[in-house]
Amino acid sequence: MPLVKSLEFTWIKQQVRWADVETGPAQFDWRCLDRVMAQAQMHGLKVLLSVTTAPAHTRQIYRGVFHPTHGRPADLRDFGVFIARLIEHYPRQIQAIEMWNEPNLIREWGDTLDGVVYTQLLAIGYGVVKHLDPSIMVISAGLAPTGFNTLWTNVDDLGFVRQMLGYQAANYMDCFGAHANGLDGVGEIDLVAQRYFDLLDRRVPVCLTEFGVAVPIQNQAPIPSPIRLWALGLKPGECGQG
Protein backbone atom coordinates (compact mmCIF):
# COMPACT_ATOMS: atom_id res chain seq x y z
CA MET A 1 0.00 0.00 0.00
CA PRO A 2 2.77 2.55 0.75
CA LEU A 3 4.29 1.79 -2.67
CA VAL A 4 0.93 2.31 -4.39
CA LYS A 5 0.56 5.61 -2.56
CA SER A 6 4.11 6.70 -3.38
CA LEU A 7 3.40 6.18 -7.09
CA GLU A 8 0.43 8.55 -6.69
CA PHE A 9 -2.18 5.96 -7.60
CA THR A 10 -5.52 6.56 -5.92
CA TRP A 11 -7.19 3.15 -6.37
CA ILE A 12 -6.43 -0.49 -5.69
CA LYS A 13 -8.21 -3.52 -7.11
CA GLN A 14 -8.60 -6.57 -4.90
CA GLN A 15 -10.01 -9.82 -6.20
CA VAL A 16 -12.47 -11.38 -3.75
CA ARG A 17 -12.80 -15.10 -4.22
CA TRP A 18 -16.23 -15.70 -2.78
CA ALA A 19 -15.35 -19.34 -2.06
CA ASP A 20 -12.43 -18.22 0.15
CA VAL A 21 -14.69 -15.98 2.22
CA GLU A 22 -17.82 -18.14 2.49
CA THR A 23 -16.16 -21.33 3.63
CA GLY A 24 -19.46 -23.15 4.21
CA PRO A 25 -23.19 -22.39 4.19
CA ALA A 26 -23.54 -19.09 6.11
CA GLN A 27 -19.95 -19.45 7.42
CA PHE A 28 -17.68 -16.49 6.67
CA ASP A 29 -14.00 -15.79 7.16
CA TRP A 30 -13.30 -12.10 6.50
CA ARG A 31 -9.86 -11.95 8.16
CA CYS A 32 -7.69 -11.60 5.06
CA LEU A 33 -9.95 -9.09 3.37
CA ASP A 34 -10.27 -7.16 6.63
CA ARG A 35 -6.53 -6.51 6.54
CA VAL A 36 -6.65 -5.31 2.94
CA MET A 37 -9.55 -2.95 3.59
CA ALA A 38 -7.99 -1.53 6.75
CA GLN A 39 -4.70 -0.81 4.98
CA ALA A 40 -6.50 0.82 2.04
CA GLN A 41 -8.35 3.12 4.42
CA MET A 42 -5.16 3.91 6.32
CA HIS A 43 -3.46 5.03 3.10
CA GLY A 44 -6.48 6.88 1.72
CA LEU A 45 -6.94 4.58 -1.28
CA LYS A 46 -10.21 3.88 -3.04
CA VAL A 47 -11.13 0.20 -3.38
CA LEU A 48 -12.45 -1.79 -6.32
CA LEU A 49 -13.48 -5.31 -5.30
CA SER A 50 -13.74 -7.91 -8.05
CA VAL A 51 -16.01 -10.73 -6.86
CA THR A 52 -15.74 -14.16 -8.47
CA THR A 53 -15.63 -17.95 -7.86
CA ALA A 54 -18.74 -19.30 -6.12
CA PRO A 55 -18.32 -21.73 -3.20
CA ALA A 56 -18.78 -25.38 -4.10
CA HIS A 57 -21.88 -25.67 -1.93
CA THR A 58 -23.64 -23.07 -4.10
CA ARG A 59 -22.75 -24.67 -7.42
CA GLN A 60 -24.65 -27.94 -6.94
CA ILE A 61 -25.06 -29.59 -10.35
CA TYR A 62 -22.27 -27.43 -11.82
CA ARG A 63 -19.74 -28.72 -9.31
CA GLY A 64 -16.97 -30.35 -11.31
CA VAL A 65 -19.03 -30.70 -14.48
CA PHE A 66 -16.97 -28.21 -16.49
CA HIS A 67 -14.40 -26.97 -13.99
CA PRO A 68 -13.78 -28.43 -10.53
CA THR A 69 -12.73 -25.27 -8.68
CA HIS A 70 -14.36 -22.25 -10.33
CA GLY A 71 -17.81 -21.36 -11.51
CA ARG A 72 -21.04 -19.50 -11.00
CA PRO A 73 -23.68 -20.42 -8.40
CA ALA A 74 -26.52 -22.63 -9.57
CA ASP A 75 -28.97 -20.10 -8.13
CA LEU A 76 -27.83 -16.64 -9.23
CA ARG A 77 -29.66 -15.08 -6.29
CA ASP A 78 -26.99 -16.53 -4.00
CA PHE A 79 -24.55 -14.10 -5.63
CA GLY A 80 -26.79 -11.20 -4.66
CA VAL A 81 -26.90 -12.42 -1.07
CA PHE A 82 -23.11 -12.48 -0.91
CA ILE A 83 -22.82 -9.00 -2.44
CA ALA A 84 -25.21 -7.76 0.27
CA ARG A 85 -23.10 -9.34 3.01
CA LEU A 86 -19.97 -7.80 1.50
CA ILE A 87 -21.44 -4.29 1.53
CA GLU A 88 -22.85 -4.73 5.03
CA HIS A 89 -19.49 -5.96 6.34
CA TYR A 90 -17.63 -2.97 4.85
CA PRO A 91 -20.10 -0.07 5.09
CA ARG A 92 -18.95 3.03 3.20
CA GLN A 93 -15.55 1.43 2.51
CA ILE A 94 -16.15 0.13 -1.04
CA GLN A 95 -16.07 2.51 -3.99
CA ALA A 96 -16.64 -0.01 -6.82
CA ILE A 97 -17.53 -3.67 -7.35
CA GLU A 98 -16.68 -5.64 -10.49
CA MET A 99 -19.30 -8.33 -11.00
CA TRP A 100 -17.32 -11.51 -11.73
CA ASN A 101 -14.18 -12.15 -13.73
CA GLU A 102 -13.94 -13.14 -17.40
CA PRO A 103 -17.24 -15.04 -17.70
CA ASN A 104 -16.48 -15.81 -21.36
CA LEU A 105 -13.89 -18.38 -20.20
CA ILE A 106 -15.09 -21.81 -19.08
CA ARG A 107 -12.51 -21.97 -16.29
CA GLU A 108 -13.98 -18.79 -14.79
CA TRP A 109 -17.68 -19.51 -15.36
CA GLY A 110 -17.90 -23.29 -15.11
CA ASP A 111 -21.08 -23.60 -17.18
CA THR A 112 -22.30 -22.96 -20.73
CA LEU A 113 -20.85 -19.61 -21.78
CA ASP A 114 -23.79 -17.29 -22.35
CA GLY A 115 -23.89 -13.50 -22.16
CA VAL A 116 -27.60 -13.59 -21.33
CA VAL A 117 -27.10 -15.73 -18.22
CA TYR A 118 -24.18 -13.57 -17.14
CA THR A 119 -26.37 -10.46 -17.54
CA GLN A 120 -28.89 -12.00 -15.15
CA LEU A 121 -26.12 -12.29 -12.53
CA LEU A 122 -25.03 -8.72 -13.29
CA ALA A 123 -28.58 -7.41 -12.88
CA ILE A 124 -28.95 -9.13 -9.51
CA GLY A 125 -25.68 -7.67 -8.28
CA TYR A 126 -26.56 -4.21 -9.59
CA GLY A 127 -29.94 -4.23 -7.87
CA VAL A 128 -28.45 -5.22 -4.52
CA VAL A 129 -25.70 -2.61 -4.70
CA LYS A 130 -28.00 0.26 -5.66
CA HIS A 131 -30.47 -0.71 -2.94
CA LEU A 132 -27.85 -0.81 -0.18
CA ASP A 133 -25.39 1.89 -1.29
CA PRO A 134 -26.10 3.76 -4.54
CA SER A 135 -22.71 5.50 -4.33
CA ILE A 136 -20.87 2.26 -5.16
CA MET A 137 -19.90 2.01 -8.83
CA VAL A 138 -21.03 -1.22 -10.50
CA ILE A 139 -18.61 -2.48 -13.16
CA SER A 140 -19.47 -5.39 -15.42
CA ALA A 141 -17.06 -8.31 -15.45
CA GLY A 142 -13.96 -7.69 -17.48
CA LEU A 143 -13.99 -10.16 -20.37
CA ALA A 144 -10.99 -12.03 -21.68
CA PRO A 145 -10.18 -10.39 -25.04
CA THR A 146 -10.07 -13.64 -26.99
CA GLY A 147 -11.25 -12.60 -30.45
CA PHE A 148 -12.26 -16.17 -31.29
CA ASN A 149 -14.34 -19.16 -30.14
CA THR A 150 -12.92 -22.45 -28.88
CA LEU A 151 -15.28 -25.33 -28.08
CA TRP A 152 -15.60 -25.87 -24.30
CA THR A 153 -12.91 -23.28 -23.54
CA ASN A 154 -13.94 -19.74 -24.44
CA VAL A 155 -16.16 -17.60 -26.61
CA ASP A 156 -15.32 -14.45 -28.54
CA ASP A 157 -15.66 -11.45 -26.24
CA LEU A 158 -17.41 -9.38 -28.92
CA GLY A 159 -20.11 -12.01 -29.41
CA PHE A 160 -20.50 -12.23 -25.65
CA VAL A 161 -20.92 -8.45 -25.39
CA ARG A 162 -23.57 -8.49 -28.12
CA GLN A 163 -25.51 -11.10 -26.15
CA MET A 164 -25.23 -8.95 -23.03
CA LEU A 165 -26.40 -5.80 -24.76
CA GLY A 166 -29.26 -7.63 -26.41
CA TYR A 167 -30.44 -8.46 -22.89
CA GLN A 168 -30.20 -4.78 -21.85
CA ALA A 169 -26.98 -5.18 -19.83
CA ALA A 170 -26.19 -1.46 -20.23
CA ASN A 171 -29.00 -0.78 -17.74
CA TYR A 172 -27.19 -2.74 -15.03
CA MET A 173 -23.78 -1.10 -14.91
CA ASP A 174 -22.14 2.24 -14.26
CA CYS A 175 -19.08 1.22 -16.25
CA PHE A 176 -18.22 -1.55 -18.69
CA GLY A 177 -15.32 -3.66 -17.40
CA ALA A 178 -12.51 -4.37 -19.85
CA HIS A 179 -9.36 -6.50 -19.70
CA ALA A 180 -6.49 -5.63 -22.03
CA ASN A 181 -4.14 -8.59 -21.79
CA GLY A 182 -4.86 -10.84 -24.72
CA LEU A 183 -3.30 -11.66 -28.06
CA ASP A 184 -1.32 -9.01 -29.92
CA GLY A 185 -3.68 -7.13 -32.19
CA VAL A 186 -6.65 -8.16 -30.04
CA GLY A 187 -5.90 -7.48 -26.39
CA GLU A 188 -4.03 -4.17 -26.61
CA ILE A 189 -5.50 -1.35 -24.56
CA ASP A 190 -6.43 1.00 -27.40
CA LEU A 191 -7.98 -1.80 -29.47
CA VAL A 192 -9.96 -3.22 -26.56
CA ALA A 193 -11.29 0.18 -25.51
CA GLN A 194 -12.24 1.19 -29.05
CA ARG A 195 -14.18 -1.94 -29.94
CA TYR A 196 -16.14 -1.84 -26.68
CA PHE A 197 -16.88 1.86 -27.13
CA ASP A 198 -18.17 1.08 -30.62
CA LEU A 199 -20.42 -1.74 -29.39
CA LEU A 200 -21.71 0.29 -26.47
CA ASP A 201 -22.36 3.29 -28.70
CA ARG A 202 -20.74 5.26 -25.85
CA ARG A 203 -23.78 4.77 -23.62
CA VAL A 204 -21.56 3.91 -20.65
CA PRO A 205 -17.84 4.47 -20.00
CA VAL A 206 -15.26 1.70 -20.22
CA CYS A 207 -13.17 0.85 -17.16
CA LEU A 208 -9.88 -0.98 -17.73
CA THR A 209 -9.67 -3.24 -14.68
CA GLU A 210 -6.85 -5.53 -15.77
CA PHE A 211 -4.04 -4.84 -18.20
CA GLY A 212 -0.33 -5.15 -18.85
CA VAL A 213 2.32 -7.48 -20.18
CA ALA A 214 4.48 -9.96 -18.30
CA VAL A 215 7.89 -8.53 -17.38
CA PRO A 216 11.17 -10.14 -16.24
CA ILE A 217 11.44 -10.67 -12.49
CA GLN A 218 14.87 -11.03 -10.89
CA ASN A 219 16.41 -11.27 -14.35
CA GLN A 220 14.24 -14.29 -15.21
CA ALA A 221 12.15 -13.99 -18.36
CA PRO A 222 8.46 -14.90 -18.12
CA ILE A 223 7.38 -18.32 -19.36
CA PRO A 224 6.92 -18.07 -23.15
CA SER A 225 3.28 -17.77 -24.08
CA PRO A 226 1.22 -16.36 -26.96
CA ILE A 227 -0.98 -14.71 -24.35
CA ARG A 228 0.13 -11.44 -22.80
CA LEU A 229 -0.35 -11.89 -19.07
CA TRP A 230 -1.22 -9.31 -16.46
CA ALA A 231 1.75 -9.21 -14.10
CA LEU A 232 1.21 -5.95 -12.26
CA GLY A 233 0.47 -6.24 -8.56
CA LEU A 234 0.70 -9.00 -6.03
CA LYS A 235 1.00 -12.73 -6.52
CA PRO A 236 -2.21 -14.69 -5.89
CA GLY A 237 -2.61 -15.31 -2.17
CA GLU A 238 -5.29 -16.39 0.20
CA CYS A 239 -7.38 -13.37 -0.80
CA GLY A 240 -6.77 -13.71 -4.53
CA GLN A 241 -4.97 -11.04 -6.51
CA GLY A 242 -4.35 -7.44 -5.58
Side-chain angles (χ1 to χ4, degrees):
M1 298 288 183
L3 179 59
V4 172
K5 191 72 173 179
S6 72
L7 293 170
E8 300 186 5
F9 290 116
T10 57
W11 285 78
I12 64 165
K13 172 183 171 179
Q14 175 65 45
Q15 188 173 85
V16 179
R17 292 186 179 273
W18 173 11
D20 290 347
V21 175
E22 188 172 349
T23 56
Q27 298 176 10
F28 298 90
D29 183 354
W30 300 100
R31 290 174 296 176
C32 183
L33 195 54
D34 282 348
R35 295 198 298 273
V36 173
M37 299 299 286
Q39 286 292 313
Q41 279 203 307
M42 182 183 302
H43 291 90
L45 296 168
K46 296 179 181 179
V47 177
L48 159 61
L49 297 180
S50 177
V51 182
T52 189
T53 308
H57 68 267
T58 69
R59 294 204 301 270
Q60 299 175 12
I61 63 172
Y62 301 111
R63 188 185 310 163
V65 175
F66 293 106
H67 197 285
T69 58
H70 298 78
R72 72 169 179 88
D75 187 340
L76 299 179
R77 292 173 297 184
D78 289 341
F79 179 75
V81 172
F82 180 73
I83 293 295
R85 290 188 179 274
L86 186 67
I87 295 171
E88 290 165 356
H89 192 77
Y90 300 110
R92 296 174 298 281
Q93 297 179 55
I94 304 168
Q95 283 69 51
I97 299 177
E98 185 176 18
M99 301 293 176
W100 214 261
N101 181 68
E102 299 184 345
N104 63 321
L105 300 183
I106 199 69
R107 69 172 181 266
E108 298 286 352
W109 188 245
D111 183 21
T112 303
L113 301 174
D114 188 335
V116 170
V117 178
Y118 167 70
T119 300
Q120 293 170 8
L121 179 139
L122 174 65
I124 289 170
Y126 180 88
V128 170
V129 169
K130 296 308 177 182
H131 175 72
L132 294 177
D133 187 346
S135 70
I136 295 175
M137 181 189 300
V138 174
I139 305 175
S140 64
L143 303 176
T146 58
F148 58 90
N149 296 309
T150 302
L151 185 64
W152 304 116
T153 302
N154 66 271
V155 297
D156 175 23
D157 54 310
L158 293 187
F160 198 89
V161 173
R162 292 187 183 98
Q163 289 180 330
M164 290 174 58
L165 296 178
Y167 205 66
Q168 306 303 313
N171 295 329
Y172 308 117
M173 64 179 79
D174 299 308
C175 196
F176 185 88
H179 288 180
N181 55 3
L183 297 168
D184 289 341
V186 176
E188 296 161 15
I189 288 178
D190 55 343
L191 297 176
V192 168
Q194 188 59 56
R195 68 173 179 263
Y196 292 156
F197 270 131
D198 291 344
L199 281 174
L200 291 162
D201 197 25
R202 299 186 181 269
R203 285 174 287 173
V204 294
V206 172
C207 290
L208 287 162
T209 62
E210 186 175 307
F211 57 89
V213 61
V215 296
I217 299 174
Q218 296 180 346
N219 297 320
Q220 297 295 314
I223 297 172
S225 170
I227 304 296
R228 299 168 62 191
L229 302 174
W230 179 54
L232 302 176
L234 305 176
K235 292 181 180 179
E238 59 182 350
C239 275
Q241 287 183 325

